[in-house]
Amino acid sequence: MIWKQNSLYLIADFSYGLQKLEQALACGIEILQLREKNISSVEYLERARILRRLTRQYDTVFIVNDRLDIAMLSEADGVHLGQSDVPARDARRLLGPDKIIGVTAKTAEQAVRAREDGADYLGSGAWYATSTKADAAPITEETYREILRESGLPNVAIGGITPENCGRPLACGADGIAAAAGILKGDVEANIRGFREKFQKR
């Protein structure tokens, strides 16, 4: 994976509607991750295949959250793994060298382990309170900078980030921003434009 600096990474489920997801794709987001909770594997795979077709049309990287099996069956570009999911080293054995593996890292130790296990990028947060993951513990700027320093991997900041508050993680050195409501809530085009403007000012 050739990481693009200032990547905008949409974390999405179908609750916002497929039309909004396609609107975000049309506005040029670099990465779309499907993250679904409390649905059957059949539904998850069906939704992943829908987004795989759409992301191909827009030449957007497509990632599946947590589910290595869904990522493989839907022919996604990669998978994003949490600390309680399949370890990155095992995912790499199954996916091979060409697929993308992201790992959630909340500490420098987790970040270093992810790099050693073959991860391509990290996601770190939560920067702010988020309804998507209500139990997410906040990350400090000191911890975030340590993760960047020790891992040497591209890192997307995550957790309640909006165009208005993304300055902090960008100032700390985030390579990209991951957002759900920050992109999809309200005017999608205006939200994406707001993030792009902050990227240009960093």
Side-chain angles (χ1 to χ4, degrees):
M1 176 185 185
I2 300 174
W3 187 269
K4 295 179 181 178
Q5 183 75 358
N6 293 334
S7 289
L8 195 52
Y9 187 130
L10 173 60
I11 298 177
D13 58 35
F14 273 50
S15 65
Y16 285 94
L18 190 57
Q19 184 177 356
K20 276 210 164 185
L21 303 189
E22 186 163 9
Q23 187 180 0
L25 290 168
C27 288
I29 59 167
E30 284 77 19
I31 303 166
L32 187 151
Q33 179 195 123
L34 176 63
R35 180 170 70 187
E36 293 281 8
K37 304 293 182 182
N38 304 316
I39 65 172
S40 69
S41 295
V42 172
E43 289 175 296
Y44 207 147
L45 180 57
E46 181 181 329
R47 294 177 184 187
R49 284 175 168 159
I50 290 170
L51 291 185
R52 173 69 289 184
R53 289 193 294 270
L54 275 176
T55 51
R56 279 191 173 130
Q57 289 176 29
Y58 290 96
D59 196 26
T60 304
V61 174
F62 177 53
I63 303 290
V64 171
N65 181 259
D66 291 347
R67 296 289 299 271
L68 180 61
D69 56 339
I70 300 296
M72 295 175 73
L73 289 167
S74 67
E75 299 181 2
D77 295 305
V79 67
H80 188 91
L81 302 168
Q83 290 297 313
S84 60
D85 295 325
V86 172
R89 64 181 177 277
D90 295 313
R92 179 61 71 200
R93 278 181 30 233
L94 288 173
L95 291 175
D98 298 327
K99 294 291 186 178
I100 300 164
I101 297 177
V103 174
T104 298
K106 297 178 180 293
T107 67
E109 291 77 16
Q110 291 175 354
V112 170
R113 188 183 316 118
R115 183 196 68 215
E116 292 173 346
D117 285 349
D120 295 292
Y121 76 92
L122 303 175
S124 299
W127 279 87
Y128 307 99
T130 170
S131 59
T132 307
K133 214 166 188 180
D135 60 345
I139 195 168
T140 66
E141 292 186 13
E142 181 182 5
T143 297
Y144 190 72
R145 291 179 190 275
E146 186 181 8
I147 287 170
L148 295 180
R149 185 173 61 250
E150 295 297 323
S151 72
L153 290 175
N155 191 294
V156 289
I158 185 172
I161 302 178
T162 67
E164 292 74 30
N165 66 21
C166 66
R168 274 182 62 221
L170 290 176
C172 287
D175 297 284
I177 296 294
I183 294 173
L184 296 176
K185 189 175 181 180
D187 188 329
V188 173
E189 187 175 354
N191 291 336
I192 291 175
R193 186 168 58 249
F195 277 116
R196 299 292 186 206
E197 289 171 357
K198 288 292 182 68
F199 288 160
Q200 292 171 4
K201 292 177 182 177
R202 68 185 304 185

